[in-house]
Coordinates of all heavy atoms in Angstrom, one line a residue:
M1032 N -43.1 38.2 114.5 CA -44.2 38.0 113.6 C -44.5 39.2 112.8 O -44.7 39.2 111.6 CB -45.4 37.5 114.4 CG -46.5 37.1 113.6 SD -46.2 35.6 112.7 CE -47.8 35.3 112.0
L1033 N -44.5 40.4 113.5 CA -44.8 41.6 112.8 C -43.8 42.0 111.7 O -44.1 42.4 110.7 CB -44.9 42.8 113.8 CG -45.3 44.1 113.3 CD1 -46.7 44.1 112.6 CD2 -45.3 45.1 114.4
M1034 N -42.5 41.7 112.0 CA -41.4 42.0 111.1 C -41.6 41.1 109.9 O -41.4 41.5 108.7 CB -40.1 41.7 111.7 CG -38.9 42.1 110.8 SD -38.9 43.8 110.2 CE -38.0 44.6 111.4
N1035 N -41.9 39.8 110.0 CA -42.1 38.9 108.9 C -43.3 39.4 108.0 O -43.2 39.4 106.8 CB -42.4 37.5 109.3 CG -41.2 36.7 109.6 OD1 -40.1 37.1 109.2 ND2 -41.3 35.6 110.2
S1036 N -44.3 39.9 108.6 CA -45.5 40.4 107.9 C -45.0 41.7 107.1 O -45.4 41.8 105.9 CB -46.6 40.8 108.8 OG -47.6 41.4 108.1
Y1037 N -44.2 42.5 107.6 CA -43.7 43.7 107.0 C -42.9 43.3 105.8 O -43.0 43.8 104.7 CB -42.9 44.5 107.9 CG -42.2 45.7 107.3 CD1 -42.8 46.8 106.8 CD2 -40.8 45.6 107.1 CE1 -42.2 47.8 106.2 CE2 -40.1 46.6 106.4 CZ -40.8 47.7 106.0 OH -40.2 48.8 105.4
R1038 N -42.0 42.3 106.0 CA -41.1 41.9 104.9 C -41.9 41.3 103.7 O -41.6 41.5 102.6 CB -40.1 40.8 105.4 CG -39.0 41.5 106.2 CD -38.0 40.5 106.7 NE -37.0 41.2 107.5 CZ -36.1 40.6 108.1 NH1 -35.9 39.3 108.0 NH2 -35.2 41.3 108.9
V1039 N -42.9 40.5 104.1 CA -43.8 39.9 103.0 C -44.5 41.0 102.2 O -44.5 41.0 101.0 CB -44.8 38.9 103.6 CG1 -45.9 38.6 102.6 CG2 -44.1 37.7 104.1
K1040 N -45.0 42.0 102.9 CA -45.7 43.1 102.2 C -44.7 43.9 101.3 O -45.0 44.3 100.2 CB -46.3 44.1 103.2 CG -47.5 43.5 103.9 CD -48.1 44.5 104.9 CE -49.3 43.9 105.6 NZ -49.8 44.9 106.6
L1041 N -43.5 44.1 101.8 CA -42.4 44.8 101.1 C -42.1 44.0 99.9 O -41.9 44.5 98.8 CB -41.2 45.0 102.0 CG -40.1 45.9 101.5 CD1 -40.7 47.3 101.1 CD2 -39.1 46.0 102.5
L1042 N -41.9 42.7 100.0 CA -41.5 41.8 98.9 C -42.6 41.9 97.8 O -42.4 42.0 96.6 CB -41.3 40.4 99.3 CG -40.8 39.4 98.3 CD1 -39.5 39.8 97.7 CD2 -40.7 38.0 98.9
V1043 N -43.9 41.8 98.2 CA -45.0 41.9 97.3 C -45.0 43.2 96.6 O -45.2 43.3 95.4 CB -46.3 41.6 98.0 CG1 -47.5 42.0 97.1 CG2 -46.5 40.2 98.5
A1044 N -44.7 44.3 97.3 CA -44.7 45.6 96.7 C -43.6 45.7 95.6 O -43.9 46.2 94.5 CB -44.5 46.7 97.8
F1045 N -42.5 45.2 96.0 CA -41.4 45.2 95.0 C -41.7 44.4 93.7 O -41.5 44.9 92.6 CB -40.1 44.6 95.6 CG -39.3 45.5 96.5 CD1 -38.6 45.0 97.5 CD2 -39.3 46.9 96.4 CE1 -37.8 45.8 98.4 CE2 -38.6 47.7 97.2 CZ -37.8 47.1 98.2
A1046 N -42.1 43.2 93.9 CA -42.4 42.3 92.8 C -43.6 42.9 91.9 O -43.5 42.9 90.7 CB -42.8 41.0 93.3
S1047 N -44.6 43.4 92.6 CA -45.7 44.0 91.8 C -45.3 45.2 91.0 O -45.6 45.3 89.9 CB -46.9 44.4 92.8 OG -47.4 43.2 93.4
A1048 N -44.5 46.1 91.7 CA -44.0 47.2 91.0 C -43.2 46.9 89.8 O -43.3 47.4 88.7 CB -43.2 48.1 91.9
A1049 N -42.3 45.9 90.0 CA -41.4 45.5 88.9 C -42.2 44.9 87.8 O -41.9 45.2 86.6 CB -40.4 44.5 89.4
C1050 N -43.1 44.0 88.1 CA -43.9 43.4 87.0 C -44.7 44.4 86.3 O -44.9 44.3 85.0 CB -44.7 42.2 87.6 SG -43.7 40.8 88.1
L1051 N -45.3 45.3 87.0 CA -46.1 46.3 86.3 C -45.3 47.2 85.5 O -45.7 47.6 84.4 CB -46.9 47.1 87.4 CG -48.0 46.4 88.1 CD1 -48.6 47.2 89.2 CD2 -49.1 46.0 87.1
A1052 N -44.1 47.6 85.9 CA -43.3 48.4 85.2 C -42.8 47.7 83.9 O -42.8 48.3 82.8 CB -42.0 48.8 86.0
C1053 N -42.5 46.4 84.0 CA -42.1 45.7 82.8 C -43.3 45.7 81.8 O -43.0 45.9 80.6 CB -41.8 44.2 83.2 SG -40.3 44.0 84.1
A1054 N -44.4 45.4 82.2 CA -45.6 45.3 81.3 C -45.9 46.7 80.7 O -46.2 46.7 79.5 CB -46.8 44.8 82.0
A1055 N -45.8 47.7 81.5 CA -46.1 49.0 80.9 C -45.1 49.5 79.9 O -45.4 50.1 78.9 CB -46.2 50.0 82.1
Q1056 N -43.8 49.2 80.2 CA -42.7 49.6 79.3 C -42.5 48.7 78.2 O -41.8 49.0 77.2 CB -41.5 49.9 80.1 CG -41.7 51.0 81.1 CD -40.5 51.1 82.0 OE1 -39.5 50.4 81.9 NE2 -40.6 51.9 83.1
G1057 N -42.9 47.4 78.3 CA -42.7 46.4 77.2 C -41.2 46.1 77.1 O -40.8 45.7 76.0
Q1058 N -40.5 46.2 78.1 CA -39.0 45.9 78.1 C -38.8 44.4 78.0 O -39.6 43.6 78.6 CB -38.3 46.4 79.4 CG -38.3 47.9 79.5 CD -37.6 48.3 80.8 OE1 -37.3 47.4 81.6 NE2 -37.5 49.6 81.0
P1059 N -37.8 43.9 77.3 CA -37.5 42.5 77.3 C -37.0 42.1 78.7 O -36.4 42.9 79.4 CB -36.4 42.3 76.2 CG -35.9 43.7 76.1 CD -37.0 44.7 76.4
I1060 N -37.2 40.9 79.1 CA -36.6 40.4 80.3 C -35.1 40.1 80.2 O -34.7 39.4 79.3 CB -37.4 39.1 80.7 CG1 -38.9 39.4 80.9 CG2 -36.8 38.5 82.0 CD1 -39.7 38.2 81.1
T1061 N -34.3 40.7 81.0 CA -32.9 40.6 80.9 C -32.4 39.2 81.3 O -33.1 38.5 82.0 CB -32.2 41.6 81.8 OG1 -32.4 41.3 83.2 CG2 -32.6 43.0 81.5
K1062 N -31.2 38.9 80.8 CA -30.6 37.6 81.2 C -30.4 37.5 82.7 O -30.6 36.4 83.2 CB -29.3 37.4 80.4 CG -29.4 37.3 78.9 CD -30.1 36.0 78.5 CE -30.1 36.0 77.0 NZ -31.0 35.0 76.5
A1063 N -30.0 38.5 83.3 CA -29.8 38.5 84.8 C -31.2 38.2 85.5 O -31.2 37.4 86.4 CB -29.3 39.9 85.2
V1064 N -32.2 38.8 85.0 CA -33.5 38.6 85.7 C -34.0 37.1 85.4 O -34.5 36.5 86.3 CB -34.6 39.6 85.2 CG1 -36.0 39.2 85.6 CG2 -34.3 41.0 85.7
Q1065 N -33.8 36.7 84.2 CA -34.1 35.3 83.8 C -33.4 34.3 84.7 O -34.0 33.4 85.2 CB -33.8 35.0 82.4 CG -34.7 35.7 81.4 CD -34.4 35.4 79.9 OE1 -33.7 34.4 79.6 NE2 -34.8 36.2 79.0
A1066 N -32.1 34.6 84.9 CA -31.3 33.7 85.8 C -31.8 33.7 87.2 O -31.9 32.7 87.9 CB -29.8 34.0 85.7
A1067 N -32.0 34.9 87.8 CA -32.4 35.1 89.2 C -33.8 34.6 89.4 O -34.1 34.2 90.5 CB -32.3 36.6 89.6
C1068 N -34.6 34.7 88.4 CA -36.1 34.3 88.6 C -36.4 33.0 88.0 O -37.6 32.6 88.0 CB -37.0 35.4 88.0 SG -36.8 37.0 88.8
K1069 N -35.4 32.2 87.6 CA -35.7 30.9 86.9 C -36.5 30.0 87.8 O -37.5 29.4 87.3 CB -34.3 30.3 86.5 CG -34.5 28.9 85.9 CD -33.1 28.4 85.5 CE -32.3 28.1 86.7 NZ -31.0 27.4 86.5
D1070 N -36.1 29.8 89.0 CA -36.9 28.9 89.9 C -38.3 29.4 90.2 O -39.2 28.6 90.2 CB -36.1 28.6 91.2 CG -34.8 27.9 91.0 OD1 -34.7 27.2 89.9 OD2 -33.9 28.0 91.8
D1071 N -38.4 30.7 90.3 CA -39.8 31.3 90.6 C -40.6 31.0 89.3 O -41.8 30.7 89.5 CB -39.7 32.8 90.9 CG -38.8 33.0 92.1 OD1 -39.3 33.0 93.2 OD2 -37.6 33.3 91.9
Y1072 N -40.1 31.2 88.2 CA -40.8 31.1 86.9 C -41.3 29.6 86.8 O -42.4 29.3 86.5 CB -39.9 31.4 85.7 CG -40.4 31.0 84.4 CD1 -41.5 31.6 83.8 CD2 -39.8 29.9 83.7 CE1 -42.0 31.2 82.6 CE2 -40.3 29.5 82.5 CZ -41.4 30.2 81.9 OH -41.9 29.8 80.7
K1073 N -40.4 28.7 87.0 CA -40.7 27.2 86.9 C -41.8 26.9 87.9 O -42.7 26.1 87.6 CB -39.5 26.4 87.1 CG -38.5 26.4 86.0 CD -37.3 25.5 86.3 CE -36.3 25.6 85.1 NZ -35.1 24.8 85.4
Q1074 N -41.7 27.4 89.2 CA -42.6 27.0 90.2 C -44.0 27.6 90.0 O -45.0 26.9 90.3 CB -42.0 27.3 91.6 CG -42.9 26.9 92.7 CD -42.3 27.0 94.1 OE1 -41.1 27.5 94.2 NE2 -43.0 26.6 95.1
Y1075 N -44.1 28.8 89.6 CA -45.3 29.5 89.6 C -45.9 29.8 88.3 O -47.1 29.9 88.1 CB -45.2 30.9 90.4 CG -44.7 30.7 91.8 CD1 -43.4 31.2 92.2 CD2 -45.5 30.0 92.8 CE1 -43.0 31.0 93.4 CE2 -45.0 29.9 94.0 CZ -43.7 30.4 94.4 OH -43.3 30.2 95.7
C1076 N -45.1 30.0 87.3 CA -45.6 30.5 86.0 C -45.0 29.8 84.8 O -45.0 30.3 83.7 CB -45.3 32.0 85.9 SG -45.9 33.0 87.2
G1077 N -44.6 28.6 84.9 CA -43.9 27.8 83.9 C -44.8 27.6 82.6 O -44.2 27.3 81.6
E1078 N -46.1 27.7 82.8 CA -47.0 27.4 81.6 C -47.0 28.6 80.7 O -47.6 28.5 79.6 CB -48.4 27.0 82.1 CG -49.2 28.1 82.7 CD -49.0 28.2 84.3 OE1 -48.0 27.6 84.8 OE2 -49.8 28.8 84.9
Y1079 N -46.4 29.7 81.0 CA -46.4 30.9 80.2 C -45.1 31.1 79.5 O -44.1 30.8 80.0 CB -46.7 32.2 81.0 CG -48.0 32.2 81.7 CD1 -48.2 31.8 83.0 CD2 -49.2 32.5 81.0 CE1 -49.4 31.7 83.7 CE2 -50.4 32.5 81.6 CZ -50.5 32.1 82.9 OH -51.8 32.0 83.6
G1080 N -45.2 31.6 78.2 CA -43.9 31.9 77.5 C -43.2 33.1 78.0 O -43.9 34.0 78.5
L1081 N -41.9 33.2 77.8 CA -41.2 34.4 78.1 C -41.7 35.5 77.3 O -42.1 35.3 76.1 CB -39.7 34.1 77.9 CG -39.0 33.1 78.8 CD1 -37.6 33.0 78.5 CD2 -39.2 33.5 80.3
E1082 N -41.6 36.7 77.8 CA -41.9 37.9 77.1 C -43.4 38.0 76.8 O -43.8 38.8 75.9 CB -41.2 38.1 75.8 CG -39.7 38.0 75.9 CD -39.0 39.2 76.8 OE1 -39.6 40.3 76.8 OE2 -38.0 38.9 77.3
T1083 N -44.3 37.3 77.6 CA -45.7 37.4 77.3 C -46.4 38.1 78.4 O -45.9 38.2 79.5 CB -46.3 36.0 77.3 OG1 -46.2 35.3 78.5 CG2 -45.7 35.1 76.2
S1084 N -47.5 38.7 78.1 CA -48.3 39.4 79.1 C -48.8 38.5 80.1 O -49.0 38.8 81.3 CB -49.4 40.2 78.5 OG -50.3 39.4 77.8
G1085 N -49.1 37.2 79.7 CA -49.6 36.2 80.7 C -48.5 35.9 81.7 O -48.8 35.8 82.9
L1086 N -47.2 35.9 81.3 CA -46.2 35.6 82.3 C -46.1 36.8 83.3 O -46.0 36.6 84.5 CB -44.8 35.4 81.6 CG -43.6 35.4 82.5 CD1 -43.7 34.3 83.6 CD2 -42.3 35.3 81.7
R1087 N -46.2 38.0 82.7 CA -46.1 39.2 83.6 C -47.2 39.2 84.6 O -47.1 39.5 85.8 CB -46.0 40.5 82.8 CG -44.7 40.6 81.9 CD -44.7 41.9 81.2 NE -43.7 41.9 80.1 CZ -42.4 41.9 80.3 NH1 -41.9 41.7 81.5 NH2 -41.6 42.0 79.2
S1088 N -48.4 38.9 84.2 CA -49.6 38.8 85.0 C -49.4 37.7 86.1 O -49.7 38.0 87.3 CB -50.9 38.5 84.2 OG -51.2 39.6 83.4
C1089 N -48.9 36.6 85.7 CA -48.7 35.5 86.6 C -47.7 35.9 87.7 O -47.9 35.6 88.9 CB -48.2 34.2 85.9 SG -47.9 32.8 86.9
M1090 N -46.6 36.5 87.3 CA -45.5 36.9 88.2 C -46.1 38.0 89.2 O -45.8 37.9 90.4 CB -44.3 37.4 87.5 CG -43.5 36.3 86.7 SD -42.8 35.1 87.7 CE -41.2 35.9 88.1
D1091 N -46.9 38.8 88.6 CA -47.6 39.8 89.5 C -48.5 39.2 90.5 O -48.4 39.5 91.7 CB -48.3 40.8 88.6 CG -48.9 42.0 89.4 OD1 -48.2 42.5 90.3 OD2 -50.0 42.4 89.0
R1092 N -49.3 38.2 90.1 CA -50.2 37.5 91.0 C -49.4 36.7 92.0 O -49.9 36.6 93.2 CB -51.1 36.5 90.2 CG -52.2 37.2 89.5 CD -53.2 36.1 89.0 NE -52.6 35.0 88.2 CZ -52.3 35.0 87.0 NH1 -52.5 36.0 86.2 NH2 -51.7 33.9 86.4
N1093 N -48.3 36.3 91.7 CA -47.5 35.5 92.7 C -46.4 36.3 93.3 O -45.4 35.7 93.9 CB -46.9 34.3 91.9 CG -47.9 33.2 91.6 OD1 -48.4 32.5 92.5 ND2 -48.4 33.2 90.4
G1094 N -46.4 37.6 93.2 CA -45.4 38.4 93.8 C -45.0 38.1 95.2 O -43.9 38.2 95.6
H1095 N -46.0 37.8 96.0 CA -45.8 37.5 97.4 C -44.9 36.2 97.6 O -44.4 36.0 98.7 CB -47.1 37.4 98.2 CG -48.0 36.3 97.7 ND1 -48.7 36.4 96.6 CD2 -48.3 35.1 98.2 CE1 -49.4 35.3 96.4 NE2 -49.1 34.5 97.4
N1096 N -44.9 35.4 96.6 CA -44.1 34.1 96.6 C -42.7 34.2 96.0 O -41.9 33.3 96.2 CB -44.9 33.0 95.9 CG -46.2 32.7 96.5 OD1 -46.3 32.5 97.7 ND2 -47.2 32.5 95.7
L1097 N -42.4 35.3 95.3 CA -41.2 35.4 94.6 C -40.0 35.5 95.6 O -40.1 36.1 96.7 CB -41.1 36.6 93.7 CG -42.1 36.6 92.6 CD1 -42.0 37.9 91.8 CD2 -42.0 35.4 91.7
S1098 N -38.9 34.9 95.2 CA -37.7 34.9 96.1 C -37.1 36.3 96.1 O -37.3 37.1 95.2 CB -36.7 33.9 95.5 OG -36.2 34.3 94.2
K1099 N -36.4 36.5 97.2 CA -35.7 37.8 97.4 C -34.7 38.0 96.2 O -34.6 39.1 95.7 CB -35.0 37.8 98.7 CG -34.4 39.2 99.0 CD -33.9 39.2 100.5 CE -33.3 40.6 100.7 NZ -32.9 40.7 102.1
I1100 N -34.0 37.0 95.8 CA -33.0 37.2 94.7 C -33.7 37.6 93.4 O -33.2 38.4 92.7 CB -32.2 35.9 94.5 CG1 -31.0 36.2 93.7 CG2 -33.0 34.8 94.0 CD1 -29.9 35.1 93.7
C1101 N -34.9 37.1 93.2 CA -35.6 37.5 92.0 C -36.1 38.9 92.1 O -35.9 39.7 91.1 CB -36.9 36.6 91.8 SG -37.9 37.0 90.4
V1102 N -36.6 39.3 93.2 CA -37.1 40.7 93.4 C -35.9 41.6 93.3 O -36.0 42.7 92.6 CB -37.8 40.9 94.7 CG1 -38.1 42.3 95.0 CG2 -39.1 40.0 94.7
N1103 N -34.8 41.3 93.9 CA -33.6 42.1 93.8 C -33.1 42.3 92.4 O -32.7 43.4 92.0 CB -32.5 41.6 94.7 CG -32.7 41.8 96.2 OD1 -33.6 42.6 96.6 ND2 -32.0 41.0 97.0
A1104 N -33.2 41.2 91.6 CA -32.8 41.3 90.2 C -33.7 42.2 89.4 O -33.3 43.0 88.5 CB -32.7 39.9 89.6
L1105 N -35.0 42.1 89.7 CA -36.0 43.0 89.0 C -35.7 44.5 89.3 O -35.7 45.3 88.4 CB -37.4 42.6 89.4 CG -37.9 41.3 88.9 CD1 -39.2 40.9 89.7 CD2 -38.2 41.3 87.4
V1106 N -35.3 44.8 90.5 CA -35.0 46.1 90.9 C -33.7 46.6 90.2 O -33.6 47.6 89.6 CB -34.9 46.3 92.5 CG1 -34.4 47.6 92.8 CG2 -36.3 46.0 93.1
K1107 N -32.7 45.7 90.3 CA -31.4 46.1 89.7 C -31.4 46.3 88.2 O -30.7 47.1 87.7 CB -30.4 45.0 90.1 CG -29.0 45.3 89.7 CD -28.0 44.3 90.1 CE -26.6 44.7 89.7 NZ -25.6 43.7 90.1
A1108 N -32.3 45.5 87.6 CA -32.4 45.6 86.1 C -33.1 46.9 85.7 O -33.2 47.2 84.5 CB -33.2 44.4 85.6
G1109 N -33.6 47.7 86.7 CA -34.3 49.0 86.3 C -35.7 48.8 85.8 O -36.2 49.6 85.2
E1110 N -36.3 47.7 86.2 CA -37.6 47.4 85.8 C -38.7 48.1 86.6 O -39.8 48.1 86.3 CB -37.9 45.9 85.8 CG -36.8 45.2 84.9 CD -37.3 44.0 84.1 OE1 -38.5 43.9 83.9 OE2 -36.5 43.3 83.6
V1111 N -38.1 48.7 87.7 CA -38.9 49.6 88.5 C -38.0 50.7 89.1 O -36.8 50.4 89.3 CB -39.6 48.8 89.7 CG1 -38.6 48.2 90.6 CG2 -40.6 49.7 90.5
S1112 N -38.5 51.9 89.1 CA -37.6 53.0 89.6 C -37.5 52.9 91.1 O -38.3 52.4 91.9 CB -38.3 54.3 89.2 OG -39.4 54.6 90.0
Q1113 N -36.4 53.5 91.6 CA -36.1 53.6 93.0 C -37.2 54.4 93.7 O -37.6 54.0 94.8 CB -34.7 54.1 93.3 CG -34.3 54.1 94.7 CD -34.3 52.7 95.3 OE1 -33.6 51.8 94.7 NE2 -34.9 52.4 96.4
S1114 N -37.6 55.4 93.1 CA -38.7 56.2 93.7 C -40.0 55.4 93.9 O -40.7 55.6 94.9 CB -39.0 57.5 92.9 OG -39.4 57.2 91.6
E1115 N -40.3 54.6 92.9 CA -41.5 53.7 93.1 C -41.3 52.7 94.2 O -42.2 52.4 95.0 CB -41.8 53.0 91.8 CG -43.0 52.1 91.8 CD -44.3 52.8 92.1 OE1 -44.4 54.0 92.1 OE2 -45.3 52.0 92.4
V1116 N -40.1 52.1 94.3 CA -39.7 51.2 95.3 C -39.9 51.9 96.7 O -40.5 51.3 97.6 CB -38.3 50.6 95.1 CG1 -37.9 49.8 96.4 CG2 -38.3 49.8 93.9
D1117 N -39.3 53.1 96.8 CA -39.5 53.8 98.1 C -40.9 54.1 98.4 O -41.3 54.0 99.6 CB -38.6 55.1 98.0 CG -37.1 54.8 97.9 OD1 -36.7 53.7 98.2 OD2 -36.4 55.8 97.5
R1118 N -41.7 54.5 97.4 CA -43.1 54.8 97.7 C -43.8 53.6 98.2 O -44.6 53.6 99.1 CB -43.7 55.3 96.4 CG -45.2 55.8 96.5 CD -45.9 56.1 95.2 NE -46.2 54.9 94.5 CZ -47.2 54.1 94.7 NH1 -48.0 54.3 95.8 NH2 -47.4 53.0 94.0
R1119 N -43.6 52.4 97.6 CA -44.2 51.2 98.0 C -43.7 50.7 99.4 O -44.5 50.2 100.1 CB -44.1 50.1 96.9 CG -44.9 50.5 95.7 CD -44.8 49.4 94.7 NE -45.6 49.8 93.5 CZ -46.8 49.1 93.2 NH1 -47.2 48.1 93.9 NH2 -47.4 49.5 92.2
K1120 N -42.5 51.0 99.7 CA -42.0 50.7 101.0 C -42.8 51.5 102.1 O -43.2 50.9 103.0 CB -40.5 51.1 101.2 CG -39.5 50.1 100.7 CD -38.1 50.6 101.0 CE -37.1 49.8 100.3 NZ -35.7 50.4 100.6
R1121 N -42.9 52.8 101.8 CA -43.7 53.6 102.7 C -45.1 53.1 102.9 O -45.7 53.1 103.9 CB -43.6 55.1 102.3 CG -42.3 55.7 102.5 CD -42.3 57.2 102.3 NE -42.7 57.6 101.0 CZ -41.9 57.7 99.9 NH1 -40.6 57.5 100.0 NH2 -42.4 58.1 98.8
A1122 N -45.7 52.7 101.8 CA -47.1 52.3 101.7 C -47.3 51.0 102.5 O -48.4 50.8 103.0 CB -47.6 52.2 100.3
A1123 N -46.3 50.2 102.5 CA -46.4 48.9 103.1 C -46.3 48.9 104.7 O -46.6 48.0 105.4 CB -45.3 47.9 102.6
R1124 N -45.9 50.1 105.2 CA -45.7 50.2 106.6 C -46.9 50.2 107.4 O -48.0 50.6 107.1 CB -44.8 51.4 106.9 CG -43.4 51.2 106.5 CD -42.6 52.4 106.9 NE -41.3 52.2 106.3 CZ -40.4 53.2 106.1 NH1 -40.7 54.4 106.5 NH2 -39.2 52.9 105.6

């Protein structure tokens, strides 16, 4: 149970960091992220258009629900730095 709680916190931290980094930098959402996050988008934030601040806010609010594949794609796309990911991992412990 404790391990699941840790993983959820870590997933939320990753997703939040990635969404905040996207919004701050104004980067377009990559095709890889769109593909990996398609189901998450439809389930949680389908009412928002792509590339909108509303979508970024929605994904941030639903970070704890995002799939692992989506979070991994956000990290791989460089939408959050590895140092920020590491910082949030330590903070979630």
Side-chain angles (χ1 to χ4, degrees):
M1032 183 70 171
L1033 184 60
M1034 184 57 89
N1035 275 345
S1036 176
Y1037 171 74
R1038 288 183 181 176
V1039 168
K1040 287 179 183 176
L1041 189 57
L1042 185 60
V1043 170
F1045 281 151
S1047 295
C1050 289
L1051 289 174
C1053 289
Q1056 296 172 5
Q1058 294 179 356
I1060 299 170
T1061 67
K1062 296 290 185 195
V1064 169
Q1065 287 178 23
C1068 298
K1069 177 177 64 173
D1070 293 336
D1071 300 277
Y1072 168 73
K1073 287 179 182 177
Q1074 184 169 359
Y1075 304 112
C1076 304
E1078 67 271 19
Y1079 298 97
L1081 294 178
E1082 307 295 334
T1083 64
S1084 60
L1086 172 58
R1087 294 183 195 294
S1088 292
C1089 181
M1090 294 293 274
D1091 186 37
R1092 284 191 310 274
N1093 287 284
H1095 61 285
N1096 294 318
L1097 297 179
S1098 65
K1099 185 174 181 177
I1100 193 167
C1101 178
V1102 173
N1103 287 342
L1105 290 166
V1106 171
K1107 186 175 181 181
E1110 305 217 17
V1111 62
S1112 70
Q1113 186 61 52
S1114 61
E1115 179 64 11
V1116 170
D1117 293 343
R1118 185 186 73 76
R1119 288 182 179 249
K1120 276 186 195 178
R1121 288 190 301 273
R1124 291 184 185 161

